[in-house]
Amino acid sequence: MAGMSSDSGVNHDEIIDIVDEQDEVVGRSPRSVAYREGLWHRCAFILVRDAEDRIFVHRRTATKAVFPSFHDMFVGGVVGAGESYDEAALREAEEELGVSGLPRPVPLFKFLYTADGQGWWSTVYEVRCELPVSPQESEVAWHTFLTEEELEQRLGEWQWTPDGLDAYRRLREFKA
């Protein structure tokens, strides 16, 4: 999902909450400053399943600032200043899938993702989307729904967002 997900169509001066190692808000910052300075923030990862229990998988656009053209099995993004994880999960899922009236995503667990001097607290959600999807062209270059078996086969074949791959591994352990 790439916690620092966004480029086209995203306001890099959007104000986001900055958090500490306990996920407590310690300040606010423009998104661009948070990225540049490696300030910890919050993200929502939503695993979307269709009516047949297949998982929504997509390739990010080549114009993305972070992980361009990588694959991801989550939709989602950065939690805005003063916004709850739950609010961000529903907003981001509807925006990226191009739907409205989605059921409220169900929170499963939270973890801290860190890599290369960056970090973000991430809450992982799951939601069933039985609506026809029309993904945001600025975010999604290609998409499909895959069975878990099909997804597992592609884990070693495609280039995945590192944070999405980490979240997916944690999700499998959580459900085991």
Side-chain angles (χ1 to χ4, degrees):
M1 184 263 14
M4 298 186 306
S5 102
S6 307
D7 193 27
S8 46
V10 167
N11 178 359
H12 288 284
D13 290 325
E14 169 192 12
I15 303 299
I16 61 173
D17 287 331
I18 304 304
V19 296
D20 64 13
E21 58 276 355
Q22 276 80 47
D23 192 24
E24 296 295 326
V25 176
V26 295
R28 289 189 169 167
S29 168
R31 180 192 293 239
S32 59
V33 173
Y35 291 176
R36 186 174 62 247
E37 297 182 9
L39 303 175
W40 288 4
H41 51 283
R42 292 174 169 165
C43 293
F45 289 66
I46 306 95
L47 189 83
V48 179
R49 293 181 183 271
D50 68 4
E52 298 171 38
D53 211 35
R54 298 174 303 175
I55 297 169
F56 179 83
V57 174
H58 68 281
R59 189 177 70 245
R60 298 161 58 81
T61 56
T63 57
K64 299 290 268 183
V66 178
F67 309 130
S69 299
F70 281 51
H71 288 84
D72 205 341
M73 66 285 286
F74 292 96
V75 297
V78 175
V79 177
E83 188 178 36
S84 71
Y85 282 104
D86 290 355
E87 290 166 338
L90 181 59
R91 175 182 54 77
E92 288 282 350
E94 287 190 337
E95 283 176 9
E96 284 191 42
L97 295 170
V99 301
S100 59
L102 195 65
R104 186 161 294 282
V106 177
L108 301 177
F109 61 91
K110 185 166 77 169
F111 72 101
L112 176 63
Y113 177 81
T114 58
D116 302 323
Q118 300 285 332
W120 44 90
W121 277 100
S122 307
T123 299
V124 175
Y125 292 80
E126 208 167 46
V127 70
R128 185 162 313 277
C129 178
E130 298 184 3
L131 303 164
V133 299
S134 180
Q136 226 174 6
E137 290 181 14
S138 63
E139 302 270 340
V140 177
W142 169 90
H143 73 279
T144 192
F145 284 90
L146 298 176
T147 66
E148 288 193 42
E149 295 74 27
E150 290 168 333
L151 175 55
E152 291 288 331
Q153 290 172 357
R154 286 160 178 84
L155 289 179
E157 298 172 8
W158 294 350
Q159 191 171 32
W160 297 90
T161 61
D163 58 345
L165 194 54
D166 186 36
Y168 186 68
R169 288 184 176 133
R170 290 172 186 265
L171 177 61
R172 287 190 315 201
E173 291 170 12
F174 175 82
K175 292 196 166 211

